[in-house]
Amino acid sequence: MCGIFAYFGPNDKAAEIVLKGLKKLEYRGYDSWGIAAKQENGDIVVEKHVGKISEVINLNEKLEKPSHVAFGHSRWATHGGVTEYNAHPHTTENGEVVVVHNGIFENYLELKGELISQGHQFRSETDTEVFAHLIEDEMEEGFEAAFIRATKKVEGRYAVLAMSKDENKIIAARRGSPLIVGKGQDGAYFIASDVPAFLEYTKDVMYLDDNQMVILDKDGARFFNLPDGKQIEKRIISIDWEEEMADKCGYPHFMIKEIMEQKETISRAINLDSELLSEVAEKIRGAFGTYIVGCGTAGKVAMVGEYLFAEIAKKHVNVKFGSEFGSAKSFLKDRSLVIAISQSGETADTLEAIEIAKSKGATIVSIVNVETSTMARMSDIVLPLKAGPEKAVASTKATTSQIAILTLLAYAVADDLNTGRKTLIEAEGKINDMLNPRYEQHIEAASDRIKDCSDIMVIGRGSNYPIALEAAIKLQEVSYIHAEGFAGGELKHGPIALISEGTPCIVISSNDEYQKEILSNAMEVKSRGALIIGVGPEKSEIYDYWIKVPDALNASPILNIIPIQILAYKLAVARQNNPDMPRNLAKSVTVK
Ligand code: AGP
């Protein structure tokens, strides 16, 4: 949610470096963008526009002048419409202080009122602009002191960076939104919302934790605790991601590249260390309540987990969306266990759930892709997906890796990890067979049939019910067609009224105890005019179109979602939507 990139170093093309870095962060927000560069005479030049930064070829000529200090922002609007004024960076009236920000300053209205009454003039409708004015107000003891004072006044979750005309430095602080410092060659430093943005320059990173501040200046990168301003040491961590992992590698979009990568990512998830799995299994067995928590797709994965634990381990687990975790508060004990699921490890609602659980003394296990994320660092045990950077907004490869790890965990709780691995290894071979050009073409033909429809229904039973919900999210996100997932048995209690002649209904099935019933549900909607697209191992005469998915026993949910990911992608392309950057969405949701 909003991408931030900063450069401080010997290269005098700071603005261009920032432009390049921001393009790699565009998946975090793409309403508008802006860059501020401090020039050799001390002036800070700002350029900002509505639109996508990926479409920018040249910067304004003023930004082409030599500069060693610059930062920029790619916006996902929260406060204030998508306008040039509301785009970041934001400056004070005289351009002395310039800021970029990700997150929300919750008390900004109150602060803005006070600042206006003191004579400050605001140009934007954003919450961010208050931070620049707050710094300006406190400048008598210097920029650093003013920045710290400003952080004491704002409430909420944020990552914020500031520059001042008076001093050659960038100051940044974090409370709840990610910021990573990269240490480059010859005294160059980078700050970014996500590591892939500066992978081409360095793999040596230092993570800013909540309530910490970093200053980049001629003395390098210095870190401090907030609010006391006490200096701290930071460990340099070497990242094992390769730069090309974060590129499209010849695919037209990240989404299809990441779908295809599932041939390899599943095997990385399956190879998760047995001891680690057994340790978590032991904790689940001994826990006073296990809660699986996630948001959006990760929330649907958590629901799949509930079915897997019931079926494989005969174990009840509770499932909560991050934003609804508060209702579990009264039941959490120090023996409770929370399993947080997340690709980014930065989702604010899931982080808040973890904070609640930690305050009750619960143990936290996270199943995350970004191993150095806030969530991973807050967890007692991390089960890493090892799926490599996922850049398309719609989660695909992370989703299947998360389900694979939950499947392994369920088998570990049942003390039968070998069967779990065997089941998943066989499933992996089947995924390899599925992901071929002919399969894609077959799904593209289904997409051609339904690309102009206004609604799509998706139904499933058992573990295919949460897969139907996830399928609907994928279709909504990138095709913008109204899609809804239902439990097959629930149709007759209301949703069946939505069916009219030709409404596509995707029916997800497996070779399981629910197969007959889901086909009966398919028949119910077909009799009312629905066009039935069957997704599963067995063909049925009820289907108007069949997308075959090999039978994979308890790993079936993993395979069943893959054709829907491809269908969603094909629909997006057919409807001329950008599948990597769907409207109104951002990859990582760092606001509540
Ligand atoms: C997935 O396609 C969505 N973009 C979204 O629902 C996502 O899964 C959710 O925001 C959680 O993100 P996380 O996995 O990074 O925590």
Side-chain angles (χ1 to χ4, degrees):
M1 194 142 276
C2 299
I4 290 176
F5 191 94
Y7 173 81
F8 184 101
N11 195 317
D12 68 1
K13 299 214 171 339
E16 276 177 39
I17 295 172
V18 169
L19 174 67
K20 211 167 164 196
L22 274 186
K23 286 185 177 181
K24 295 188 176 161
L25 290 171
E26 193 179 27
Y27 63 91
R28 300 180 63 87
Y30 30 84
D31 298 337
S32 51
W33 65 275
I35 293 176
K38 191 167 166 100
Q39 301 189 328
E40 286 172 343
N41 65 1
D43 284 350
I44 302 174
V45 178
V46 175
E47 176 177 4
K48 48 192 198 172
H49 299 282
V50 168
K52 292 192 167 72
I53 197 161
S54 52
E55 286 158 13
V56 179
I57 301 167
N58 292 316
L59 288 170
N60 178 320
E61 59 187 33
K62 282 196 220 144
L63 277 177
E64 283 171 0
K65 290 198 180 146
S67 158
H68 298 271
V69 189
F71 58 47
H73 185 274
S74 188
R75 183 173 185 236
W76 186 86
T78 57
H79 290 64
V82 181
T83 64
E84 197 171 308
Y85 275 126
N86 290 336
H88 299 217
H90 289 284
T91 61
T92 46
E93 299 90 333
N94 51 16
E96 298 272 329
V97 179
V98 183
V99 301
V100 289
H101 160 229
N102 171 21
I104 295 175
F105 295 132
E106 283 162 4
N107 57 339
Y108 83 102
L109 279 176
E110 190 187 316
L111 293 170
K112 189 170 175 175
E114 284 167 20
L115 287 159
I116 289 173
S117 67
Q118 289 161 19
H120 289 266
Q121 286 169 17
F122 281 74
R123 274 175 288 200
S124 77
E125 303 154 311
T126 66
D127 51 334
T128 305
E129 198 179 339
V130 293
F131 202 81
H133 293 280
L134 286 173
I135 294 177
E136 183 188 38
D137 235 23
E138 302 279 357
M139 271 306 222
E140 68 278 5
E141 282 179 42
F143 180 32
E144 284 174 35
F147 185 97
I148 294 176
R149 289 217 184 96
T151 60
K152 286 183 189 166
K153 291 190 175 163
V154 289
E155 289 165 11
R157 304 175 85 94
Y158 57 80
V160 65
L161 276 70
M163 262 193 255
S164 148
K165 211 175 159 192
D166 299 343
E167 298 181 38
N168 215 28
K169 59 181 63 161
I170 291 174
I171 310 185
R174 168 200 161 130
R175 190 196 291 159
S177 298
L179 274 187
I180 303 116
V181 179
K183 184 177 188 304
Q185 302 288 311
D186 306 320
Y189 284 92
F190 306 85
I191 301 179
S193 310
D194 203 354
V195 172
F198 53 62
L199 267 185
E200 72 172 285
Y201 307 103
T202 182
K203 287 183 190 160
D204 291 340
V205 308
M206 291 167 279
Y207 282 86
L208 209 58
D209 289 315
D210 279 350
N211 300 311
Q212 289 184 350
M213 171 177 98
V214 61
I215 299 178
L216 302 185
D217 62 12
K218 61 174 179 18
D219 299 323
R222 291 175 291 131
F223 293 82
F224 303 84
N225 273 335
L226 290 174
D228 59 18
K230 196 168 157 252
Q231 190 160 357
I232 47 169
E233 289 303 314
K234 276 277 164 188
R235 203 161 54 92
I236 296 182
I237 297 167
S238 205
I239 298 290
D240 64 359
W241 284 357
E242 294 304 326
E243 199 197 330
E244 56 273 20
M245 281 171 132
D247 284 339
K248 286 189 201 145
C249 299
Y251 285 96
H253 298 103
F254 281 111
M255 185 174 175
I256 190 70
K257 177 201 169 213
E258 288 159 6
I259 290 172
M260 292 301 154
E261 278 178 345
Q262 291 174 110
K263 291 174 191 167
E264 297 101 42
T265 49
I266 290 292
S267 77
R268 275 185 250 144
I270 300 172
N271 285 331
L272 192 61
D273 182 55
S274 297
E275 268 181 35
L276 208 52
L277 284 163
S278 303
E279 188 186 343
V280 178
E282 199 47 54
K283 291 204 182 297
I284 295 173
R285 282 190 216 107
F288 191 85
T290 296
Y291 296 79
I292 313 186
V293 186
C295 296
T297 289
K300 307 301 175 287
V301 168
M303 290 174 75
V304 175
E306 184 185 358
Y307 285 92
L308 291 171
F309 275 85
E311 173 66 28
I312 300 166
K314 315 292 174 224
K315 175 89 192 157
H316 171 73
V317 293
N318 305 280
V319 172
K320 287 271 170 202
F321 294 139
S323 55
E324 293 296 324
F325 191 73
S327 64
K329 217 178 333 199
S330 328
F331 313 115
L332 290 167
K333 304 270 176 298
D334 56 2
R335 277 184 53 204
S336 306
L337 179 73
V338 169
I339 303 179
I341 316 264
S342 177
Q343 189 286 130
S344 62
E346 300 294 349
T347 302
D349 288 330
T350 312
L351 290 176
E352 191 176 70
I354 293 177
E355 275 160 20
I356 294 172
K358 277 176 95 80
S359 74
K360 298 281 183 173
T363 301
I364 314 293
V365 173
S366 59
I367 300 181
V368 287
N369 196 27
V370 183
E371 283 174 60
T372 43
S373 58
T374 308
M375 207 172 291
R377 284 176 291 129
M378 285 169 87
S379 303
D380 299 292
I381 301 176
V382 179
L383 302 180
L385 305 183
K386 303 261 178 218
E390 190 183 70
K391 297 192 89 178
V393 166
S395 181
T396 53
K397 60 177 180 173
T399 310
T400 46
S401 293
Q402 287 160 349
I403 304 176
I405 290 178
L406 282 174
T407 311
L408 281 179
L409 259 187
Y411 275 104
V413 172
D415 215 2
D416 196 9
L417 196 50
N418 285 343
T419 308
R421 279 203 210 277
K422 194 167 159 277
T423 309
L424 286 165
I425 290 167
E426 280 167 17
E428 184 202 335
K430 291 171 183 168
I431 292 171
N432 253 291
D433 296 342
M434 282 163 78
L435 290 173
N436 65 57
R438 262 196 23 200
Y439 197 66
E440 248 190 273
Q441 275 163 19
H442 182 62
I443 296 172
E444 194 167 337
S447 145
D448 284 344
R449 275 181 85 158
I450 63 171
K451 68 178 188 323
D452 297 318
C453 69
S454 50
D455 309 278
I456 303 177
M457 275 188 150
V458 194
I459 59 169
R461 278 178 174 253
S463 59
N464 284 324
Y465 162 50
I467 291 297
L469 298 181
E470 166 53 12
I473 292 194
K474 283 291 94 61
L475 294 163
Q476 293 158 2
E477 271 185 303
V478 298
S479 77
Y480 310 155
I481 298 173
H482 168 238
E484 282 203 57
F486 299 100
E490 282 294 295
L491 283 179
K492 56 188 177 291
H493 299 290
I496 203 161
L498 298 172
I499 298 289
S500 59
E501 196 59 39
T503 306
C505 178
I506 300 174
V507 178
I508 305 178
S509 70
S510 298
N511 272 338
D512 58 15
E513 61 189 288
Y514 307 106
Q515 200 175 34
K516 277 205 186 101
E517 286 162 351
I518 195 73
L519 286 178
S520 304
N521 301 141
M523 198 58 224
E524 287 157 17
V525 284
K526 190 178 170 86
S527 337
R528 286 157 180 90
L531 174 95
I532 308 294
I533 300 176
V535 172
E538 306 289 343
K539 192 171 183 173
S540 161
E541 58 190 20
I542 300 170
Y543 299 158
D544 296 293
Y545 201 90
W546 177 43
I547 301 174
K548 185 176 178 178
V549 179
D551 181 25
L553 307 171
N554 283 328
S556 290
I558 302 174
L559 273 69
N560 284 346
I561 193 61
I562 292 175
I564 319 270
Q565 295 171 346
I566 301 173
L567 179 66
Y569 173 76
K570 295 288 174 191
L571 283 168
V573 173
R575 291 164 65 94
Q576 296 179 345
N577 302 338
N578 179 346
D580 287 347
M581 285 182 253
R583 69 183 180 204
N584 306 338
L585 292 173
K587 180 65 181 162
S588 147
V589 185
T590 52
V591 292
K592 285 194 278 169

